Amino acid sequence: MTVSARPLFGDRALFPALTCAAYLNHAAISPACAPVVTAVERALHDYAANGAGAFLRWNADRAALRALLAQWIGAREEEIALGSNTSRGVSDIALSIPWRRGDRVVLFSGEFPENVTPWQRAAELFGLELVFLPAELFFTEQGLERLEQELKRGVRLVAVSFVQFQSGLCMPLRAMGEQCRKYGAELFVDAIQGCGAVPLDVEAEQIDYLSCGGHKWLLGMEGAAFTFVRQSCAKALRPYTAGWLSHEDAESFLFAGAGHLNYEKPLKQTAEVFEAGTSSLLSLAALRASLPLLLELGAAAIFEHVQRYHDALESGLVARGFESLRAPLPEQRSGILSLRPPPGIGLVPLATALRKRGVMPGTPDGLLRFAPHFANALTEVPRVFELLDDALAELRAA
Ligand SMILES: Cc1ncc(COP(=O)(O)O)c(C=O)c1O
């Protein structure tokens, strides 16, 4: 596939294989863009031709990928661990914090289960108390007020999603980070629904831990993710699981001759301790290829572009009787625009009718979710409405 590698707003040239009228499901899985396809093909062909020789080449790219990810979220390279999915990163953190029995953890009801289940496991194993606040409270000031009340009672950690997967509400991370610091709690963020479409800076937001998969807004493939661990927190972690690559000087016994096989080498005291074994270098190659596109466009400009698309889409949908869940303030918004269908229109039949016509939304938790990215053109929106009207007419006639 030979396509110019420059990303342009509103231009699908980097997605030449995409045939639908409007791909609006980046909150689920991104289609592979041309640079991703090329990188994965190159890596795969290298493996086919060279086996372990290919491993050495693609493995060497890991440091470059960590650097790109660090740049994207304002972290330091040594604070990034490459991983396989968001869930694994949440579990790594949840099970490795040096908990004290009775520690309280604040979670948010309405969140994607992956930011709840690992904390429930940690609660069982370490005797933690889980406190749930409704995520929807954060549409107003009430959310931060409730959080502060809990923090005053003593909280060890707050675990929140950057963006709520169903409503698209962008949580007030900066204010939450400040509150956590003030009351001596740590802040964990599941960033997968925001990172890539909404600016994020772990320093400004005072985030201590973060986990993020690469296959949504970061435009990579499933099987590649990353975890951020603030260096000042990393030293205190007690990794609940570890593997051969978790040790310092982990690989010399394979490449530096005899005498290096030693099971007593210390575990790394950085995020990298979670890179326990071999991983999918093909998925990491995909992420390594997509990140430069995002860095070239910039998170703030991607956010603005997506908001303009949402503005156009939302007004037309509301005029057709949909109920929008979009947050009132710009800083509460994200790449996700979710709506309830008009009375009498079933969500699943509507989504099916739209997909049949080439409009690709998501349907989380009873909502119709539109999630465009940089390549979606504003000029696409009138066609989306044409196809939507056709779908609604079909459903009303049935
Ligand atoms: C907020 C959120 N977290 C996590 C995930 C998925 O986690 P994982 O990367 O482990 O599949 C999703 C969606 O798939 C999500 O919306």
Side-chain angles (χ1 to χ4, degrees):
M1 193 184 291
T2 46
V3 183
S4 150
R6 303 257 354 250
L8 296 171
F9 284 110
D11 185 343
R12 252 168 62 164
L14 284 186
F15 296 84
L18 205 55
T19 52
C20 61
Y23 191 85
L24 295 165
N25 208 5
H26 285 277
I29 293 179
S30 279
C33 62
V36 163
V37 173
T38 305
V40 174
E41 279 177 356
R42 278 184 52 220
L44 190 56
H45 288 139
D46 200 359
Y47 269 85
N50 300 301
F55 167 81
L56 292 179
R57 251 185 304 285
W58 293 91
N59 199 45
D61 255 14
R62 299 169 73 101
L65 177 53
R66 282 192 214 100
L68 290 173
L69 290 163
Q71 190 183 343
W72 186 248
I73 64 165
R76 291 184 285 158
E77 274 172 61
E78 62 274 22
E79 294 176 317
I80 303 289
L82 304 177
S84 54
N85 54 48
T86 322
S87 303
R88 180 70 221 192
V90 185
S91 290
D92 282 338
I93 301 300
L95 300 179
S96 303
I97 287 176
W99 300 109
R100 290 173 299 258
R101 219 173 168 71
D103 275 346
R104 298 173 78 239
V105 176
V106 173
L107 305 177
F108 298 86
S109 50
E111 293 234 328
F112 202 84
E114 142 291 341
N115 200 19
V116 175
T117 314
W119 304 106
Q120 289 172 323
R121 283 297 293 139
E124 274 178 47
L125 290 166
F126 302 106
L128 312 178
E129 183 191 341
L130 302 181
V131 179
F132 282 87
L133 298 182
E136 70 208 32
L137 281 185
F138 287 78
F139 274 99
T140 68
E141 291 295 315
Q142 244 195 314
L144 286 170
E145 285 162 17
R146 280 287 287 112
L147 179 60
E148 185 158 25
Q149 283 168 15
E150 286 307 329
L151 287 164
K152 278 184 184 162
R153 295 178 55 208
V155 168
R156 177 73 190 273
L157 180 132
V158 173
V160 69
S161 288
F162 183 13
V163 168
Q164 295 301 321
F165 78 103
Q166 67 313 55
S167 68
L169 175 67
C170 184
M171 299 298 270
L173 293 187
R174 195 165 296 207
M176 293 173 100
E178 273 169 23
Q179 283 188 343
C180 285
R181 279 283 183 280
K182 182 169 166 194
Y183 293 100
E186 291 185 314
L187 180 61
F188 171 91
V189 175
D190 162 7
I192 194 171
Q193 282 300 5
C195 191
V198 185
L200 174 71
D201 184 318
V202 291
E203 276 308 312
E205 268 117 37
Q206 305 191 57
I207 294 167
D208 296 298
Y209 313 98
L210 175 150
S211 178
C212 183
H215 59 279
K216 299 184 191 286
W217 300 97
L218 291 177
L219 302 177
M221 302 286 299
E222 294 145 287
F226 72 98
T227 305
F228 158 81
V229 182
R230 182 172 292 285
Q231 191 44 45
S232 54
C233 303
K235 284 194 170 52
L237 291 180
R238 285 201 299 260
Y240 191 73
T241 59
W244 68 283
L245 286 172
S246 302
H247 293 280
E248 296 289 356
D249 185 33
E251 293 162 77
S252 56
F253 77 97
L254 289 174
F255 304 113
H260 296 276
L261 186 60
N262 169 4
Y263 308 120
E264 306 309 324
K265 289 177 184 174
L267 293 181
K268 289 173 183 163
Q269 290 203 324
T270 60
E272 246 190 89
V273 72
F274 295 125
E275 295 188 17
T278 47
S279 48
S280 168
L281 290 180
L282 296 186
S283 298
L284 294 179
L287 195 53
R288 168 85 178 83
S290 66
L291 272 168
L293 308 175
L294 299 176
L295 282 159
E296 185 170 343
L297 295 168
I302 295 172
F303 178 78
E304 287 307 321
H305 175 77
V306 168
Q307 294 313 308
R308 278 198 293 277
Y309 195 102
H310 282 180
D311 291 342
L313 206 54
E314 186 190 29
S315 54
L317 286 163
V318 169
R320 284 166 176 79
F322 286 77
E323 183 197 341
S324 173
L325 272 74
R326 198 175 183 202
L329 303 174
E331 63 272 21
Q332 296 178 305
R333 294 175 174 175
S334 68
I336 290 175
L337 171 65
S338 288
L339 306 101
R340 288 194 186 91
I345 298 292
L347 172 68
V348 175
L350 175 59
T352 306
L354 284 171
R355 289 188 191 116
K356 202 169 75 184
R357 289 164 174 80
V359 175
M360 304 301 182
T363 53
D365 203 20
L367 297 167
L368 190 64
R369 181 177 71 185
F370 295 102
H373 211 311
F374 81 89
N376 290 88
L378 280 168
T379 50
E380 191 175 277
V381 176
R383 181 75 185 132
V384 171
F385 286 135
E386 259 176 50
L387 296 167
L388 171 68
D389 288 337
D390 195 48
L392 289 171
E394 179 190 287
L395 295 179
R396 287 189 171 119

